[in-house]
Amino acid sequence: MSHLSKIELEIHDLASLQEACKTLKINFRETQKTFKWYSGVGQCDHAIHVPGAVYEVGIIKNKDTYELQWDDYYCGGLTDKLGKNAGKLKQAYAVAKIIKEARHKKYHVRQQAVDNGIQLVLS
C-alpha cells in the first residue's frame, strides 16, 4: 500500500529551500536522484535527508516549480524535524524566501521568535 504524498508547498526557489534546510539543520542533497520511503525508493531531482530519520523527502521538478514528496504515514522520523504536515519546513522556506526578496530590495531584515512562530521586521 502506498503512502507517498505531496507536501502542499510549491517551491519556486531552490536556494531558499537550501537556506530553509540549513535553518532546520537538515541536509539538502543536490542532484540526489532517489529518495527512501516506506515502500522502497522514489525518483527525484534532489532530496532532503534528515539526520536520524529512516526516510527522506524527494524534490521533484514539475514544469516551473518543484514539489516535495514524502511518506507522511510511515514518516520514519521526518515529522520530528519537519513538523506535522511539514509545517516547520514550510515556515522555514517562507522565511528564507521573504528575507531573500527583502534584501534584494535593500531592506534590512530582523527576525525574532514569538510565541506562535517567527516575526520578521523590515526597515
Side-chain angles (χ1 to χ4, degrees):
M1 177 185 255
S2 174
H3 296 99
L4 193 61
S5 64
K6 179 181 166 187
I7 295 173
E8 293 300 320
L9 175 67
E10 286 186 359
I11 303 296
H12 296 275
D13 181 1
L14 283 179
S16 292
L17 181 60
Q18 288 175 309
E19 191 60 36
C21 289
K22 285 181 192 174
T23 298
L24 296 174
K25 297 180 175 60
I26 58 179
N27 304 315
F28 181 94
R29 293 189 169 168
E30 192 169 4
T31 69
Q32 180 176 318
K33 298 299 181 193
T34 60
F35 68 103
K36 292 181 261 180
W37 64 292
Y38 179 77
S39 290
V41 177
Q43 299 296 310
C44 62
D45 296 286
H46 311 284
I48 296 172
H49 175 78
V50 175
V54 177
Y55 304 126
E56 297 171 305
V57 176
I59 304 167
I60 296 132
K61 187 164 180 67
N62 185 5
K63 297 180 185 171
D64 295 334
T65 64
Y66 291 88
E67 64 181 46
L68 305 178
Q69 292 186 357
W70 70 337
D71 187 331
D72 65 341
Y73 188 78
Y74 295 111
C75 58
L78 293 175
T79 55
D80 294 343
K81 201 69 163 172
L82 303 181
K84 183 179 179 184
N85 298 318
K88 291 178 185 177
L89 179 61
K90 291 174 186 179
Q91 181 184 55
Y93 174 75
V95 166
K97 184 70 175 152
I98 290 166
I99 289 172
K100 181 180 177 181
E101 293 299 320
R103 288 185 177 151
H104 178 73
K105 294 180 179 183
K106 308 291 188 221
Y107 284 98
H108 173 74
V109 182
R110 185 169 42 93
Q111 179 178 329
Q112 59 192 38
V114 294
D115 290 339
N116 58 351
I118 297 170
Q119 180 180 38
L120 297 176
V121 179
L122 307 177
S123 58

